[in-house]
């Protein structure tokens, strides 16, 4: 790896607040953003501490705190205190923020990403869904 590439990768990691080892085969990006990874972790473990979430998603505690604040402000989750602990409640009816997913709620994605156990064999009668509007509700709420 040349110095220019090392510098670029290091700079991006410092700015974003993560420490990951880039894989030369697949690059250093991940399918979910930090916000997505934090929300998935909280959905699967609502009693997790910031420290626990940080370790799982590979972000600093400070970055996770900022992401949790963003998610709360956007209505994706609520925080409640129970003694000295913070408990999180995810709002599965929250809508995706990008216009390409307009009208879709995050609950189905979170359920799929937090499911435990083997999903079993695929249903042979199920046909693959193509196109980005296949799962979109018939009357999407444009304000929503």
């Amino acid at each position: 790896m040349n110095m220019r590439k090392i510098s670029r990768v290091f700079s991006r990691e410092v700015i974003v607040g993560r420490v990951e080892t880039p894989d030369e085969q697949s690059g250093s990006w991940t399918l979910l953003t930090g916000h997505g990874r934090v929300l998935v972790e909280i959905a699967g473990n609502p009693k997790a501490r910031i420290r626990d979430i940080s370790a799982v998603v590979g972000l600093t505690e400070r970055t996770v705190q900022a992401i949790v604040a963003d998610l709360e402000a956007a209505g994706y989750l609520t925080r409640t205190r129970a003694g000295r602990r913070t408990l999180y409640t995810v709002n599965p009816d929250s809508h995706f923020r990008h216009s390409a997913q307009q009208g879709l709620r995050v609950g189905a994605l979170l359920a799929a990403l937090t499911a435990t156990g083997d999903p079993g064999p695929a249903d042979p009668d199920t046909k693959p869904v193509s196109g980005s509007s296949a799962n979109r509700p018939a009357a999407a709420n444009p304000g929503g």
Side-chain angles (χ1 to χ4, degrees), residues 39 43 75-78 89-96 103-111:
L39 188 60
Y76 285 94
L77 60 85
T78 56
T89 304
V90 174
N91 179 4
D93 292 328
S94 296
H95 290 92
F96 284 94
L104 297 177
R105 293 183 174 92
V106 299
L109 178 66
L110 293 174

Side-chain angles (χ1 to χ4, degrees), residues 121-129:
D123 184 358
D125 296 329
T126 303
K127 296 181 181 178
V129 177

Side-chain angles (χ1 to χ4, degrees), residues 34-104:
H35 283 69
R37 293 193 315 260
V38 169
L39 188 60
V40 168
E41 180 58 24
I42 289 172
N45 188 3
K47 294 181 181 178
R49 298 173 299 172
I50 294 291
R51 178 180 305 157
D52 302 329
I53 297 166
S54 172
V56 171
V57 301
L59 299 171
T60 65
E61 289 181 37
R62 187 177 195 140
T63 300
V64 171
Q65 286 174 337
I67 289 172
V68 167
D70 287 347
L71 292 170
E72 184 180 31
Y76 285 94
L77 60 85
T78 56
R79 291 187 270 195
T80 55
R81 296 290 291 181
R84 295 177 62 191
R85 299 293 302 257
T86 301
L87 303 176
Y88 301 97
T89 304
V90 174
N91 179 4
D93 292 328
S94 296
H95 290 92
F96 284 94
R97 291 172 51 114
H98 197 278
S99 60
Q101 290 82 37
Q102 184 175 358
L104 297 177

